[in-house]
Amino acid sequence: MSTIQVEVQGLSKNFFDQARGEVNAVTEVDFECRSGEIFGLLGANGAGKTTTLRMISTVLQPSDGTARVLGHDVVREPVEVRRNLGFYSASTALYPRLTARETLTLFARVNKYPAERTKDRVEEMIERFGLGEYAGARIEKLSTGMKQKVSIARTVVHDPPVLIFDEPTVGLDVLNALDLQKGIRELRDEGKTILFSTHIMSEAERLCDRIAIIDKGRIRACDGLEGLRAATSHHYLEDIFVHYVTGNDTPA
Amino acid sequence: MDWTAIRLLYLSELRAALRERSVLINGILIPLLMYPLMMWVMFSAILFVTARTESFASRVEIAGLPAEHRSLLGRLEEEGRIEVTEVDAPPAGTAATYRAGIEERLLAGELDAALIFEATADGPQGNAAVALMSNGSSDQSQTARGRLERALSVERSDWLDRIAGQHGLEGAKWQVFEVESSNLATGVEMGQFLMGMMIPLFFVIMIANGCLYPAIDSTAGERERNTWETTSTLATRRIHIVAAKYLYVATMGTVAGALNAAAMVVSFRSFLGPLLARLGDGDGSGFAFELPLRSLPVLLLTAVLLGALIGAAMMILAAFARTFKEGQSMVTPLYLLVIFPVVVLNDPSLEFTPPLAAIPVVNVVLLLRQAIAGNLLWLQLGITLLSNAAAIVGCLWLASRVLRVEEVATGSFEGNLFQFLRQRLRPAGGKA
């Protein structure tokens, strides 16, 4: 029986922008994620996906509402939240002057992975992600694909039950993107809870167990692909997305 | 406090920094090698020029040398490397033409110096007015002039003694208006005075230099490399992350200051000491560069204090920058602000009074100067510690307030510290 790992209730984020004035980036977002599922946040650029995920990962503070990871509140217990979470996004780069092995050791230790098991865990990650040959090389010397692998390894090295991937395939070539998707599926199969944001329909279709469509900071729909199909009478996710975002049904 | 996280982050910052060429150059190599290298170059250059000048053979013409002063030729021979051409005094009425000819030859470099004796009617036999002509724009001519002056001075003094002897007087009796000067300072004291003037000045500059790159690199540099968000997802409190970064910046500043002071003492002893001895009277008894042992704890203490203070202040400013370049432009004014009073107040007559001991940075310079001279003023030391500690606490308090603001922490705040403070201090309702 899967358990609720992430609970988001009435989550909102407003901020003041000198050019745009008061901005409501996210408004009263609600959803839950269960263990062993990939939950997708599907939205156009600027829809509020990254802001939502940043609030869950404690990088940003919510203006209103709550979010809990394994029962830990993101505002009151941010350290506990981060300990149980691996956050990956295009804006979470690696330290260029550390090696892959040093990076993984640092993240395992600071994220409270048991010290006596850290060395074995780091070697396990190096082997799992095929980093062996490059483990001693500085990150700045690695190719984009290798950096990507180190990034994912540092996200999971402390073995967190919840993983957040914010548009992870942005900037990757097809083969690397497919490789990444395969890795995410494997993590799901290990029982991890995965929050995955994307604006690529095919990716969400292939990967996500449930999908929340987000537009202008609000969740417009949230269900499995079959449920969304049944609710909109559309087969393709692209049409479903357009249905919810524009309110119109466009021909497929 | 999560000391494990602080230690791990601190060590990883240090490890990364030591792999960065700019940090190594600014924080370690320049403080360590700049002064020995500078002094070695200066020492070699001066020795080279001196040796080259001393090897010149001076071409000298002497006109109208009286019989009473023939001994001058012997003295010039003793001086060595002087080629003397002796000519008769120019016939009456042709002195001006002769001088014009000498001038022409000096300017053309055909001659290095000339001595023209003109006998005077007054005084004892051999009394003469002597014109020493040379070309100040030529090294060779200057050297020739020096050699002639030395020989002439001895010749004059001996001749006067001889004349005095003919009148039954000894030199010491008739030269009653004698000036005898003596320097009561020992060589060690003179060395400490010179070190006290120079070490604190460069010490502050090097600490500021040592803090500059790490302060920008660990704040604005993180944002530019997109690693700030990565760091902020670590399972530790933000204040611990900032503490680790701060310790790293302060360490780099302290290390730069300590290395620089050590390098300067070594340079003074190895290069400046021998150089001053060679340029002075040559017996090597002028300056002795020895640092009193009890000044070492003060030196270390001041390095830590300054590293901690300058590091904190620089980090606050750099926290607002989103790129390394922005960071440099935000921090550089502070760098100048720290150095300016130190340069201006580098006056040996400035007394280290308790009120001056209350001014951060300035007090450290004055305290260090006193310590190098072997004086420890305990009241001033206490005030210095308190005032710097208060300034450090103030900076850290401000940093914790500033970094608590999400826009600053995430780098979305557009502006610098002063714009931030103005905005925060503005009365409610002013933000329209």
Side-chain angles (χ1 to χ4, degrees), chain A residues 48-252:
Chain A
K49 303 184 296 289
T50 298
T51 307
T52 303
L53 296 181
R54 280 181 170 172
M55 284 190 281
I56 297 170
S57 64
T58 76
V59 172
L60 294 179
Q61 287 231 333
S63 307
D64 204 2
T66 58
R68 286 192 193 86
V69 174
L70 270 75
H72 300 293
D73 187 276
V74 294
V75 176
R76 285 194 296 273
E77 302 162 278
V79 175
E80 280 307 308
V81 170
R82 291 198 285 267
R83 192 171 168 175
N84 288 292
L85 195 80
F87 181 68
Y88 173 95
S89 84
S91 55
T92 50
L94 296 164
Y95 308 121
R97 297 190 288 263
L98 294 185
T99 66
R101 184 175 276 111
E102 287 164 354
T103 304
L104 297 181
T105 307
L106 176 72
F107 275 81
R109 292 294 314 280
V110 178
N111 288 332
K112 316 290 186 291
Y113 193 82
E116 67 281 4
R117 285 197 278 136
T118 297
K119 197 165 178 259
D120 291 343
R121 175 68 177 170
V122 168
E123 293 311 316
E124 184 192 326
M125 291 293 107
I126 287 170
E127 201 182 320
R128 176 176 180 168
F129 289 95
L131 300 169
E133 206 180 319
Y134 309 98
R138 286 192 211 172
I139 300 290
E140 62 194 349
K141 308 276 184 201
L142 302 181
S143 67
T144 311
M146 289 309 290
K147 281 180 188 164
Q148 189 85 18
K149 286 180 178 177
V150 179
S151 269
I152 297 168
R154 75 99 191 129
T155 307
V156 301
V157 69
H158 59 296
D159 200 17
V162 178
L163 295 166
I164 294 177
F165 289 95
D166 181 20
E167 305 209 61
T169 55
V170 167
L172 288 187
D173 61 43
V174 178
L175 292 178
N176 275 318
L178 287 175
D179 205 27
L180 180 75
Q181 287 170 16
K182 184 172 159 256
I184 291 173
R185 260 195 298 268
E186 284 172 7
L187 289 165
R188 187 260 316 270
D189 296 342
E190 287 170 18
K192 307 281 186 202
T193 304
I194 294 167
L195 264 99
F196 180 88
S197 84
T198 184
H199 62 270
I200 304 167
M201 306 295 152
S202 60
E203 204 169 68
E205 229 166 26
R206 261 203 307 272
L207 212 56
C208 301
D209 299 308
R210 287 193 303 134
I211 297 168
I213 293 174
I214 185 167
D215 178 51
K216 297 190 180 83
R218 287 179 186 275
I219 299 282
R220 304 294 176 183
C222 180
D223 207 341
L225 188 55
E226 287 311 316
L228 292 172
R229 280 173 178 158
T232 59
S233 309
H234 288 295
H235 180 76
Y236 295 108
L237 186 55
E238 198 170 299
D239 297 326
I240 296 168
F241 182 77
V242 172
H243 171 90
Y244 282 114
V245 169
T246 64
N248 298 319
D249 288 343
T250 51

Side-chain angles (χ1 to χ4, degrees), chain B residues 279-298:
Chain B
L279 294 178
D281 52 12
D283 65 359
S285 63
F287 285 85
F289 295 103
E290 285 172 21
L291 205 61
L293 267 183
R294 62 179 176 164
S295 72
L296 289 179
V298 176

Side-chain angles (χ1 to χ4, degrees), chain B residues 58-65 70 73 76 82-88 98 102 105 110-117 148:
Chain B
S58 302
R59 294 158 299 168
V60 173
E61 183 165 305
I62 301 177
L65 182 68
R70 300 296 302 170
L73 295 175
L76 289 175
I82 299 181
E83 294 167 7
V84 179
T85 308
E86 201 188 342
V87 295
D88 292 335
Y98 174 73
I102 290 286
R105 287 166 65 200
E110 293 166 9
L111 190 66
D112 296 323
L115 271 183
I116 304 169
F117 285 81
L148 285 179

Side-chain angles (χ1 to χ4, degrees), chain B residues 326-341:
Chain B
E326 242 181 55
Q328 275 179 317
S329 65
M330 285 177 181
V331 175
T332 305
L334 175 75
Y335 180 81
L336 298 175
L337 193 72
V338 166
I339 292 170
F340 180 73

Side-chain angles (χ1 to χ4, degrees), chain B residues 163-431:
Chain B
I163 298 294
Q166 285 167 14
H167 291 84
L169 289 170
E170 283 175 25
K173 283 182 183 162
W174 65 269
Q175 288 180 7
V176 287
F177 192 81
E178 272 192 279
V179 178
E180 187 188 325
S181 62
S182 61
N183 180 4
L184 297 179
T186 63
V188 171
E189 284 167 341
M190 280 160 59
Q192 285 170 348
F193 170 78
L194 197 60
M195 287 195 294
M197 289 305 296
M198 290 182 73
I199 290 179
L201 174 69
F202 290 106
F203 184 69
V204 175
I205 293 173
M206 284 300 146
I207 288 178
N209 229 22
C211 288
L212 184 71
Y213 187 92
I216 300 170
D217 186 52
S218 62
T219 50
E222 277 242 43
R223 290 207 184 96
E224 192 167 355
R225 292 189 296 268
N226 275 338
T227 51
W228 179 254
E229 195 164 315
T230 315
T231 306
S232 62
T233 62
L234 285 165
T236 187
R237 289 175 63 202
R238 299 275 152 77
I239 193 76
H240 298 154
I241 295 171
V242 175
K245 286 179 179 295
Y246 169 62
L247 286 176
Y248 149 64
V249 175
T251 302
M252 293 306 291
T254 304
V255 167
L259 286 179
N260 177 66
M264 279 193 82
V265 173
V266 171
S267 307
F268 273 112
R269 291 175 68 108
S270 311
F271 299 112
L272 198 61
L275 182 66
L276 289 174
R278 192 175 175 112
L279 294 178
D281 52 12
D283 65 359
S285 63
F287 285 85
F289 295 103
E290 285 172 21
L291 205 61
L293 267 183
R294 62 179 176 164
S295 72
L296 289 179
V298 176
L299 201 139
L300 278 177
L301 181 73
T302 49
V304 172
L305 275 180
L306 270 186
L309 178 59
I310 297 175
M314 283 186 173
M315 274 187 78
I316 294 175
L317 292 171
F320 288 85
R322 283 164 294 181
T323 62
F324 201 91
K325 237 180 187 172
E326 242 181 55
Q328 275 179 317
S329 65
M330 285 177 181
V331 175
T332 305
L334 175 75
Y335 180 81
L336 298 175
L337 193 72
V338 166
I339 292 170
F340 180 73
V342 177
V343 174
V344 170
L345 295 174
N346 200 28
D347 173 3
S349 64
L350 195 67
E351 208 181 323
F352 188 25
T353 56
L356 275 178
I359 306 172
V361 182
V362 171
N363 53 14
V364 169
V365 174
L366 295 174
L367 178 70
L368 195 55
R369 189 190 293 171
Q370 294 288 328
I372 289 171
N375 306 324
L376 274 185
L377 307 169
W378 294 103
L379 174 65
Q380 281 85 332
L381 174 69
I383 297 173
T384 301
L385 282 177
L386 282 176
S387 82
N388 281 284
I392 292 166
V393 169
C395 283
L396 294 180
W397 176 82
L398 184 60
S400 74
R401 307 294 296 182
V402 163
L403 289 168
R404 209 176 286 174
V405 177
E406 192 172 274
E407 291 97 312
V408 179
T410 57
S412 59
F413 182 83
E414 289 178 20
N416 56 30
L417 174 68
F418 304 103
Q419 287 161 324
F420 172 82
L421 290 175
R422 210 179 307 141
Q423 204 179 84
R424 297 282 145 169
L425 296 173
R426 195 183 292 165
K431 186 180 114 175

